[in-house]
Structures are given as structure tokens and as C-alpha cells.
């Protein structure tokens, strides 16, 4: 099997023997949206749930525990750049960023 | 008894120490205990001194031509062998192409679990508490791992790098790869780089981004000029990419790129949570917006209320002047 893999700065072509597990990225292509008729037909299809036991899997011991879920408080002190004209504000901004050693 | 931290280091494509490695060493030092760095690759032996300078107490080097490119089949067994030998309490690696692939495979082999893409760590007793962004960056989750070692991948620039001190020494141990061509089942046939114009968005120290407030695609011209003067890259909000004002490749946010520049300048961007998800690790946000109630101001270190069309050129000119004066 030959696949194309997305890298941070390009692509690479990779060969692998089968069977192989492949994960796909959203660059893979356009999803095939079903037509109305297909959606109607899908509703009639039988869905057969399996239990883990039926496919021979036992639930392993949980190896990762979620301890907390929260919205972080962002404490940013905002400095509003004041000025009489937009030009003055723009220039002041440059000076402030220079003082902060960011430019 | 497992103790200390094992850092799985890596080199950049041009053979330098990946900048995430000093950050990983920093995490290990703050967690306490010995920090061992494993360096896998081809031509990486010379980087051991650097790892030592950043505070590693031991560096294990596996330098072999077979490790020229990251391949799970060659890297994972070596990492597994080193992990078993070092017996660390914690293993950290970067959330890089390598880390993303290696961490889950290594965790499975060691019978433990991994927390991916973490930004914060602390020890509670002998338990590592790893924190990572979730729900598109709008919330954080904290995890503990019920296994040893506790493995985490770390988002670049989320943590302070360790300080460099070239007088530091470390024990350096060279190890053979112990894997051969026959062990590597996948083969990289070809690698193509996309021609990047200027600085890559993800690497840029400064990103200048534009949103719908620019009023049209021509609004990006002054931003490009500003980015050029600052040696940075240009980003865009989803709204303007959807409108076709700027290439989707430059989109910053939940469905675009996550960027971590030292300075992020948002022009005409209101600050929808989807956009903020792409800059959640940025400490210095400057926003320029005519709407004083724009939500992006809440997350901004500096806010300029007014017409960008006049502010940006004046800002650019002043930056140019300041840079010229040294």
C-alpha cells in the first residue's frame, strides 16, 4: 500500500505492507454527502449492536483519569494605547512594543 | 523504583537540537529528580553537549544512519529499551511529528498511558498531573496516569526552556541502534516540501493577522508590509479565508493553524473563540480594532481602538525607524 502523508512543511509518500492501520487527515478529500433517498434508505437499515463480550474484548483497567475540567481564567492586563490621532496611537504602539523588547 | 524524567529528544531537519528539547528538560528539572535525555537520530552525537548545557544529568545517544528519518518501527523499540533501562517516573517528548506517532506506541509497549499535547505539569506526590487544552482551546483538562512511567507529549513553547549553561557536564552514553533495515516495515519513498514563501506561520516569532474588519482582500497589503518589517508571517481569520480574501493555508484558529509567536498582532479581528483557539498559548497579543467592545481586547496585552487604515501604516513606519536606529 502506498499513502501520502501530510508533514508540517509538505508531503511524504510512504509504502507499507498490509494489513496496516492508517489514520487520515482532513486533507483526504470531500466527504460524500448522501442524497435524500440514501438517507431514507439508511433509516431502514438494521443496526446490530454488539457487546464487548461478543467480539471478545474485556474492558482494560482505566489507565488515564480525568481529574479536572475547567475554563481557565485569563488574567491579561490590557493596556489601551491612547493618542489624539490614529497616527499617534500607531507610533505609540511601536514605542511600547520596543520597550517590551518585542520588536 | 521509577524516578526522574526521561526526555525523548530530537533534532531538527537541519541537524540542530529541536527547540522543544530545552523546554522538555526544563519540565523535567521542575518536576524534580534526574533528567535523562535520549537523543535518537543520524548525526546527533554532537547535540549531547547541548542537552547537557540545558541541564540533563545523563544523555543517551543512539546515532545511526537508519535513524535519519523518524520511523515508528525503528524509533519505538529503541525508546522502549531506553525507557526500561532508565526506569523513569515520567517520560516527556514534544508534540511533534515524532512525538505524536511515538508516544501512544511507546505507552502501549510499556503498559501505561499517555496524555497528549499538554501545556502544564505539576507533581502531586508521585503523581504527574498533566494539563491540556480541550474543546478547541476554550477549556482545560487535567489528567493523571495510572501506570509507570507516566508519559506526556508537550506543546511547543508552552513551557519555559531550561537555562543554558555551557559549563554543565553530563554523563554521555552511546548506544547502538539494535534495529536493522528488516525491522522497518514502512518505507519513505519520497518527501516533497511545499515551497513556503517567507517565514512559516508556525515558526514565526511575529504574526500579523487580519480579519473581516480589513474590509477587503486589499487590506492585507499593509499587513504584509508590516509582517515583512517585523520579520514575521501573515495570518488570517476564518471569516476572511471563507470570503476568499486570503489563502486558507494562512488561516489561524480551530480549523486553521495553531500559532505560538512571541507577538501576535490582530487587525480587524473581533476574537471569536474559534480564532482564539489558534492563539491560546500566545502571551503578547496586540489588537487593533475600531470597535471598543471587540471581545479580542479582553485577551490582549495591548489594545488600540481606531481605524486600522491609519494606525497600521503609522505603526509600520515607526517600527522601521526604531529598527533602523538599532
Amino acid at each position: 500500500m502506498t499513502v501520502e502523508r501530510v508533514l508540517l512543511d509538505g508531503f511524504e509518500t510512504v509504502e507499507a505492507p498490509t494489513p496496516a492501520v492508517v489514520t487520515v487527515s482532513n486533507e483526504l478529500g470531500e466527504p460524500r454527502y448522501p442524497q435524500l433517498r440514501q438517507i431514507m434508505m439508511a433509516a431502514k437499515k438494521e443496526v446490530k449492536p454488539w457487546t464487548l463480550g461478543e467480539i471478545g474484548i474485556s474492558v482494560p483497567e482505566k489507565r488515564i483519569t480525568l481529574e479536572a475540567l475547567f475554563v481557565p481564567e485569563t488574567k491579561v492586563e490590557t493596556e489601551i494605547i491612547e493618542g489624539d490621532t490614529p497616527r499617534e496611537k500607531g507610533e505609540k504602539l511601536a514605542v511600547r512594543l520596543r520597550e517590551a523588547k518585542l520588536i | 523504583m521509577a524516578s526522574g524524567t526521561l526526555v525523548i529528544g530530537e533534532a531538527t531537519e537541519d541537524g540542530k537540537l529541536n527547540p522543544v528539547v530545552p523546554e522538555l528538560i526544563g519540565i523535567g528539572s521542575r518536576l524534580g529528580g534526574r533528567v535523562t535525555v535520549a537523543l535518537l537520530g543520524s548525526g546527533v552525537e554532537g547535540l549531547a553537549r547541548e542537552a547537557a548545557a540545558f541541564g540533563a544529568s545523563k544523555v543517551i545517544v543512539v546515532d545511526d544512519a537508519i535513524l535519519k528519518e523518524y520511523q515508528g518501527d525503528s524509533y519505538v523499540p529503541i525508546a522502549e529499551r531506553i525507557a526500561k533501562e532508565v526506569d523513569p517516573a515520567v517520560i516527556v517528548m514534544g508534540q511533534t511529528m515524532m512525538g505524536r506517532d511515538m508516544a501512544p506506541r511507546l505507552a502501549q509497549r510499556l503498559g501505561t498511558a499517555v496524555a497528549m499535547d499538554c501545556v502544564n505539569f505539576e507533581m502531586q506526590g508521585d503523581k504527574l498531573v498533566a494539563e491540556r487544552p480541550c474543546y478547541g482551546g476554550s477549556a482545560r483538562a487535567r489528567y493523571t496516569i495510572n501506570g509507570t512511567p507516566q508519559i506526556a507529549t508537550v506543546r511547543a513553547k508552552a513551557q519555559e526552556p531550561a537555562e543554558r549553561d555551557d559549563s554543565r557536564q553530563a554523563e554521555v552514553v552511546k548506544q547502538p541502534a539494535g534495529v536493522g533495515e528488516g525491522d522497518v516495515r514502512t518505507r519513505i519513498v519520497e518527501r516533497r516540501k511545499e515551497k513556503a514563501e517567507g517565514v512559516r506561520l508556525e515558526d514565526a516569532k511575529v504574526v500579523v493577522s487580519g480579519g473581516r474588519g480589513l474590509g477587503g482582500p486589499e487590506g492585507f497589503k499593509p499587513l504584509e508590509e508590516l509582517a515583512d518589517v517585523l520579520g514575521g508571517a501573515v495570518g488570517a481569520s476564518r471569516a476572511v479565508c471563507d470570503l476568499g480574501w486570503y489563502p486558507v493555508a494562512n488561516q489561524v484558529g480551530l480549523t486553521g493553524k495553531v500559532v505560538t509567536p512571541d507577538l501576535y498582532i490582530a487587525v480587524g479581528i473581533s476574537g471569536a473563540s474559534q480564532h482564539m483557539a489558534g492563539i491560546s498559548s500566545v502571551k503578547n497579543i496586540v489588537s487593533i480594532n475600531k470597535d471598543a467592545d471587540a471581545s479580542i481586547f479582553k485577551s490582549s496585552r495591548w489594545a488600540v481602538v481606531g481605524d486600522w487604515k491609519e494606525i497600521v501604516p503609522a505603526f509600520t513606519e515607526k517600527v522601521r525607524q526604531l529598527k533602523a536606529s538599532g
Side-chain angles (χ1 to χ4, degrees):
Chain A
M1 179 173 61
T2 306
V3 297
E4 192 167 75
R5 177 154 62 196
V6 187
L7 303 175
L8 291 175
D9 57 353
F11 297 90
E12 67 184 9
T13 310
V14 182
E15 277 178 6
T18 52
V21 177
V22 181
T23 62
V24 298
S25 70
N26 58 1
E27 283 88 350
L28 187 70
E30 289 295 311
R32 288 182 300 170
Y33 292 107
Q35 293 163 346
L36 184 63
R37 208 174 75 85
Q38 291 170 308
I39 297 172
M40 306 277 280
M41 279 164 66
K44 290 195 191 103
K45 283 184 180 157
E46 188 199 353
V47 178
K48 184 176 168 8
W50 282 325
T51 62
L52 289 176
E54 280 174 296
I55 50 173
I57 292 175
S58 59
V59 181
E61 212 181 307
K62 201 165 69 169
R63 285 184 179 150
I64 192 153
T65 310
L66 177 65
E67 303 282 354
L69 185 61
F70 59 100
V71 175
E73 265 183 61
T74 43
K75 275 186 238 131
V76 183
E77 265 186 56
T78 309
E79 181 189 335
I80 296 170
I81 307 287
E82 307 281 2
D84 292 335
T85 63
R87 283 202 63 83
E88 199 184 317
K89 290 179 187 175
E91 285 169 8
K92 248 191 193 164
L93 176 64
V95 173
R96 292 295 293 119
L97 295 180
R98 181 68 166 204
E99 284 164 4
K101 296 189 169 60
L102 286 162
I103 55 173
Chain B
M1 173 74 187
S3 69
T5 300
L6 172 63
V7 170
I8 311 284
E10 60 186 295
T12 59
E13 227 169 294
D14 52 356
K16 298 200 178 78
L17 194 69
N18 189 305
V20 77
V21 177
E23 296 163 11
L24 297 170
I25 296 173
I27 293 166
S29 308
R30 286 189 290 274
L31 293 177
R34 272 170 73 83
V35 179
T36 306
V37 174
L39 275 174
L40 280 59
S42 175
V44 293
E45 203 185 326
L47 303 176
R49 288 174 54 99
E50 278 193 60
F54 283 111
S57 35
K58 181 176 177 179
V59 185
I60 299 172
V61 178
V62 185
D63 195 334
D64 193 300
I66 199 170
L67 303 176
K68 189 172 181 303
E69 278 144 350
Y70 172 80
Q71 294 266 46
D73 279 344
S74 53
Y75 273 65
V76 177
I78 299 171
E80 180 192 8
R81 188 184 74 208
I82 294 172
K84 284 180 173 161
E85 180 195 308
V86 174
D87 191 22
V90 174
I91 300 179
V92 285
M93 60 188 94
Q95 174 77 7
T96 55
M97 288 297 288
M98 181 192 87
R100 281 174 223 217
D101 187 86
M102 183 200 274
R105 296 169 75 164
L106 184 62
Q108 198 276 333
R109 281 178 178 236
L110 298 172
T112 181
V114 57
M116 303 285 290
D117 200 18
C118 298
V119 294
N120 236 327
F121 299 90
E122 63 175 28
M123 285 308 259
Q124 282 180 2
D126 57 355
K127 275 282 182 208
L128 174 75
V129 183
E131 187 177 308
R132 55 172 250 172
C134 58
Y135 299 120
S138 51
R140 295 280 182 90
R142 282 202 187 119
Y143 293 98
T144 52
I145 293 158
N146 315 311
T148 306
Q150 305 162 85
I151 307 180
T153 65
V154 185
R155 186 180 286 196
K157 294 191 198 168
Q159 290 278 312
E160 288 295 315
E163 255 179 68
R164 185 179 180 134
D165 175 355
D166 284 321
S167 68
R168 285 197 190 117
Q169 298 288 330
E171 178 194 352
V172 179
V173 183
K174 281 203 277 180
Q175 287 191 0
V179 291
E181 296 283 351
D183 299 312
V184 184
R185 289 164 294 182
T186 50
R187 194 170 75 86
I188 296 168
V189 183
E190 191 198 0
R191 193 169 266 189
R192 295 190 315 282
K193 280 202 171 186
E194 268 185 352
K195 261 184 235 148
E197 281 175 38
V199 189
R200 283 191 341 129
L201 204 48
E202 297 95 318
D203 297 335
K205 294 233 183 291
V206 181
V207 172
V208 183
S209 272
R212 216 198 310 240
L214 291 181
E218 65 284 352
F220 277 95
K221 270 271 165 283
L223 301 199
E224 283 169 353
E225 197 186 325
L226 174 58
D228 195 42
V229 173
L230 291 166
V234 176
S237 72
R238 177 173 181 174
V240 301
C241 293
D242 284 353
L243 287 165
W245 293 0
Y246 217 65
V248 178
N250 296 68
Q251 188 177 316
V252 172
L254 189 57
T255 45
K257 287 178 172 142
V258 173
V259 296
T260 50
D262 297 331
L263 176 63
Y264 188 83
I265 303 174
V267 185
I269 292 177
S270 60
S273 64
Q274 289 85 348
H275 185 78
M276 301 314 285
I279 53 173
S280 59
S281 313
V282 183
K283 291 190 183 76
N284 298 302
I285 300 174
V286 171
S287 42
I288 301 172
N289 206 303
K290 68 171 191 291
D291 176 7
D293 295 325
S295 69
I296 195 160
F297 284 139
K298 286 202 294 280
S299 319
S300 303
R301 179 73 190 80
W302 290 278
V304 192
V305 183
D307 185 1
W308 71 271
K309 277 183 193 161
E310 291 191 64
I311 296 166
V312 171
F315 175 56
T316 307
E317 197 42 51
K318 190 71 184 173
V319 172
R320 201 176 264 137
Q321 237 178 61
L322 290 169
K323 287 213 157 203
S325 66

